[in-house]
Amino acid sequence: TGKRAFIAGVADDNGYGWAIAKSLAAAGAEILVGTWVPALNIFESSLRRGKFDESRVLPDGSLMEIAKVYPLDAVFDNPEDVPDDVKTNKRYAGSSKWTVQEVAESVKEDFGSIDILVHSLANGPEVSKPLLETSRKGYLAAISASSYSYVSLLKHFIPIMNPGGSSISLTYIASERIIPGYGGGMSSAKAALESDTRVLAFEAGRKYKIRVNTISAGPLRSRAAKAIGFIDMMIDYSLQNAPLQKELSSDEVGNTAAFLSSPLASAITGAVIYVDNGLNAMGVGV
Ligand code: NAD
């Protein structure tokens, strides 16, 4: 309660970012979100037109309020990074100040500080290609959008994070076990994200008293996951093989994020927390 959260990677009401926003709002936090520039217009107009009202309902019956929506493209750190074709692109030209550094500056100007930073975004243009068929460009794009984007977000937001604050990202078990179909360097990107979680926990803990954790989430039928193409199979596999044979709800990930962001988790940092009905613990499927 009384805390402020910035959640990067919310563009509809189906993904983990939305569920995390709701759990944090239910716990009393003020919610700011960062929305990918090309998805901004449709997200904001859907919000305004009440398209998300049903999924905005919190446990106490009130509706989640989003204090402000910021346009964000987390593959660019500052305006000098932005190539001309993106600058002049119709979908980008209508918005401004959407590089990571500029968004952090705007949040500072508007609100002063935050307590909770959430990274709930990923992108791998060649995700449907096996690693052996992935181009250098596709691999580096996956790492840029899905791993470095987190380093950059934390780097730019940490100066405005209050001591005792918490930072969370979302990862997937393909970082450590073979998950055929999660290609294009996305498995590599998640491995980097998990390793960075440990190093960043050390650096952010020592210098800023900020905790850094990542949630290894089970399969959810989000927009991003549907684009990969194997999500129904993964959900089915988990239902068949996990210790808990139920479909994973995004709220279960949201509630874990709220716990990790609360004083209840004040000694947890540098951790990969599994929220996957226990599937990670299985050696073979039965
Ligand atoms: P989602 O589509 O709700 O979220 C991904 C978001 O990333 C989208 O809103 C998209 O607009 C945004 N995005 C993409 N590129 C961006 C950029 N350059 N700058 C800013 N935003 C950008 O899907 P999701 O599945 O909820 O994904 C959230 C996180 O959860 C991701 O890190 C994903 O890898 C992770 N995750 C998902 C699953 C799953 O099964 N859905 C499982 C484990 C982990």
Side-chain angles (χ1 to χ4, degrees):
T1 48
K3 291 186 176 162
R4 185 177 297 119
F6 181 85
I7 301 148
V10 180
D12 59 40
D13 60 349
N14 294 318
Y16 281 132
W18 177 271
I20 291 170
K22 276 182 74 176
S23 291
L24 291 173
E30 183 176 24
I31 303 301
L32 318 177
V33 307
T35 300
W36 196 30
V37 188
L40 182 74
N41 277 343
I42 174 108
F43 178 62
E44 285 198 303
S45 67
S46 303
L47 255 183
R48 255 196 325 269
R49 293 199 328 263
K51 217 190 129 202
F52 301 137
D53 282 0
E54 246 173 71
S55 30
R56 280 171 64 209
V57 179
L58 300 175
D60 71 355
S62 68
L63 294 190
M64 169 173 69
E65 291 297 336
I66 299 178
K68 188 156 179 181
V69 178
Y70 292 86
L72 168 70
D73 194 321
V75 305
F76 302 111
D77 300 318
N78 51 56
E80 295 86 78
D81 280 356
V82 184
D84 283 337
D85 62 317
V86 177
K87 258 181 214 149
T88 55
N89 184 307
K90 261 209 323 257
R91 296 158 92 191
Y92 284 78
S95 302
S96 61
K97 298 194 181 172
W98 40 259
T99 66
V100 176
Q101 185 189 321
E102 293 169 295
V103 174
E105 282 165 6
S106 300
V107 171
K108 182 181 181 179
E109 236 175 76
D110 296 342
F111 296 95
S113 67
I114 63 167
D115 303 282
I116 299 161
L117 176 68
V118 179
H119 175 282
S120 182
L121 63 96
N123 198 13
E126 297 181 15
V127 64
S128 51
K129 286 190 190 164
L131 190 53
L132 262 180
E133 288 163 31
T134 297
S135 72
R136 181 182 301 268
K137 194 171 165 216
Y139 183 99
L140 293 176
I143 295 274
S144 173
S146 314
S147 316
Y148 189 77
S149 59
Y150 183 55
V151 177
S152 178
L153 264 184
L154 188 57
K155 168 183 172 170
H156 288 97
F157 275 86
I158 211 165
I160 64 162
M161 288 182 76
N162 296 316
S166 151
S167 174
I168 292 170
S169 66
L170 275 299
T171 187
Y172 185 49
I173 192 155
S175 59
E176 45 175 326
R177 299 278 185 269
I178 302 162
I179 310 281
Y182 198 73
M186 279 306 299
S187 57
S188 331
K190 292 305 192 189
L193 183 69
E194 291 174 24
S195 178
D196 294 346
T197 297
R198 292 180 281 272
V199 177
L200 294 169
F202 170 72
E203 296 178 1
R206 289 290 175 93
K207 191 160 175 204
Y208 297 95
K209 297 188 165 58
I210 300 289
R211 295 180 295 105
V212 181
N213 295 292
T214 188
I215 296 174
S216 187
L220 172 74
R221 214 176 271 99
S222 65
R223 189 188 169 98
K226 279 191 274 187
I228 300 172
F230 70 170
I231 188 64
D232 290 318
M233 201 185 97
M234 286 334 224
I235 290 173
D236 213 52
Y237 182 89
S238 184
L239 267 176
Q240 292 298 320
N241 297 294
L244 301 175
Q245 292 186 298
K246 61 179 178 61
E247 192 155 330
L248 182 68
S249 134
S250 61
D251 294 347
E252 295 175 298
V253 168
N255 291 339
T256 303
F259 159 70
L260 285 174
S261 304
S262 80
L264 294 173
S266 56
I268 303 179
T269 194
V272 179
I273 305 287
Y274 296 94
V275 184
D276 65 347
N277 285 321
L279 186 63
N280 72 91
M282 299 299 294
V284 291
V286 282

